[in-house]
Amino acid sequence: MRKAGPETPAIRLRRHGVRVSGGPWTLCGDRARGAHGQLILALGRAAGGAVTRSRIRRIAREVLGHGCDATGGTDLLLLARGDVSRQPRRQVRASLADLLSRFCAALARREADRKETHG
């Protein structure tokens, strides 16, 4: 039996955060605990070669860098579940922007539900 260690930010986001998927992407996130949010990119070999993964990291930082809004701060975890090496940059940017907008809407719905139930 493994001993439970401290919960990393990536584990916290996967367990308790809002999850949105589309195509090869999965985006998990929640409001930041501190003043500023962070972006965690988990791109394994399934996403493509090293050059492809570096290209995806640059694009993801550009598109997802501000989270839902620049004032509140959002912690985001981006997972690539499939090969994205054949997708052009424009398509990657568009799919990540769409994923972020869907995530922001889901996060707003969850926060509204919490306010209704907790008064």
Side-chain angles (χ1 to χ4, degrees):
M1 177 150 261
R2 285 183 56 171
K3 196 175 186 183
E7 190 174 66
T8 65
I11 292 172
R12 179 182 65 86
L13 292 174
R14 288 182 83 174
R15 286 185 184 163
H16 307 293
V18 174
R19 181 181 300 228
V20 178
S21 296
W25 310 106
T26 300
L27 185 64
C28 304
D30 204 354
R31 290 287 175 202
R33 290 185 172 176
H36 301 288
Q38 64 183 24
L39 176 61
I40 303 168
L41 302 169
L43 305 173
R45 288 188 180 172
V51 174
T52 300
R53 293 192 310 267
S54 293
R55 176 175 61 98
I56 298 302
R57 284 186 188 101
R58 284 192 304 272
I59 294 170
R61 283 187 202 111
E62 175 188 323
V63 174
L64 305 174
H66 297 293
C68 289
D69 56 331
T71 58
T74 309
D75 291 336
L76 296 173
L77 170 66
L78 178 67
L79 304 165
R81 299 287 184 178
D83 187 10
V84 293
S85 62
R86 300 201 191 283
Q87 292 183 357
R89 293 172 196 238
R90 185 176 303 152
Q91 184 179 354
V92 171
R93 277 190 188 92
S95 63
L96 289 178
D98 177 59
L99 199 64
L100 180 64
S101 66
R102 289 179 32 224
F103 167 78
C104 291
L107 185 62
R109 278 193 308 271
R110 186 179 80 170
E111 289 175 350
D113 290 343
R114 283 186 178 175
K115 285 182 182 178
E116 286 179 8
T117 58
H118 295 295

